[in-house]
Amino acid sequence: NLDPDNQSSLNRNVLLGCHKLDLPYSMDEFGIYDVDQFRSVNSTTFSMNVFGKKWRVREATRFECPENLKDPFTCPMFLLAPDCQPGQSPVEMFNKVAVPVIYSLGII
């Protein structure tokens, strides 16, 4: 999971990862692979409380929610990884949780 632009750790896992504050969001983190769509929603991220936890979300692109349907109740919001705590790596929780679980399932 290295970012090809600067070889930094790139998080693609929303639930077990985090986003480093000093790096801009990537198209991989947004799950958008069209440059124009990515640019249109790159500035639409905000924090939202979901089940008592603070999450980062982004708005839908024009292809995910057409203009004629665009209102806050019908368009989806997409979860992004939360911001990393100081000293935390974007893939740290994934390595602590998912890797041992996958390894132990392989033994069984």
Side-chain angles (χ1 to χ4, degrees):
N1 280 351
L2 292 179
D3 185 354
D5 295 329
N6 61 10
Q7 296 300 302
S8 64
S9 295
L10 176 65
N11 175 43
R12 292 189 174 126
N13 192 306
V14 172
L15 299 176
L16 295 175
C18 64
H19 173 75
K20 290 188 94 168
L21 293 173
D22 57 340
L23 294 175
Y25 282 104
S26 68
M27 291 196 307
D28 287 317
E29 287 177 292
F30 273 30
I32 298 173
Y33 302 100
D34 181 78
V35 176
D36 293 330
Q37 290 182 52
F38 175 69
R39 286 185 187 141
S40 72
V41 296
N42 194 18
S43 62
T44 65
T45 63
F46 58 93
S47 294
M48 180 179 190
N49 285 326
V50 179
F51 300 118
K53 185 172 180 179
K54 188 176 180 181
W55 291 92
R56 297 291 296 170
V57 295
R58 72 163 175 87
E59 293 181 0
T61 65
R62 67 180 181 272
F63 293 107
E64 294 164 337
C65 184
E67 289 294 325
N68 60 343
L69 298 176
K70 208 162 215 171
D71 72 63
F73 300 107
T74 59
C75 283
M77 297 297 224
F78 295 88
L79 288 177
L80 301 172
D83 296 334
C84 290
Q85 301 299 321
Q88 184 181 12
S89 167
V91 294
E92 183 178 326
M93 281 302 291
F94 180 82
N95 291 340
K96 287 181 178 177
V97 175
V99 172
V101 168
I102 292 168
Y103 182 73
S104 63
L105 290 175
I107 293 174
I108 298 176

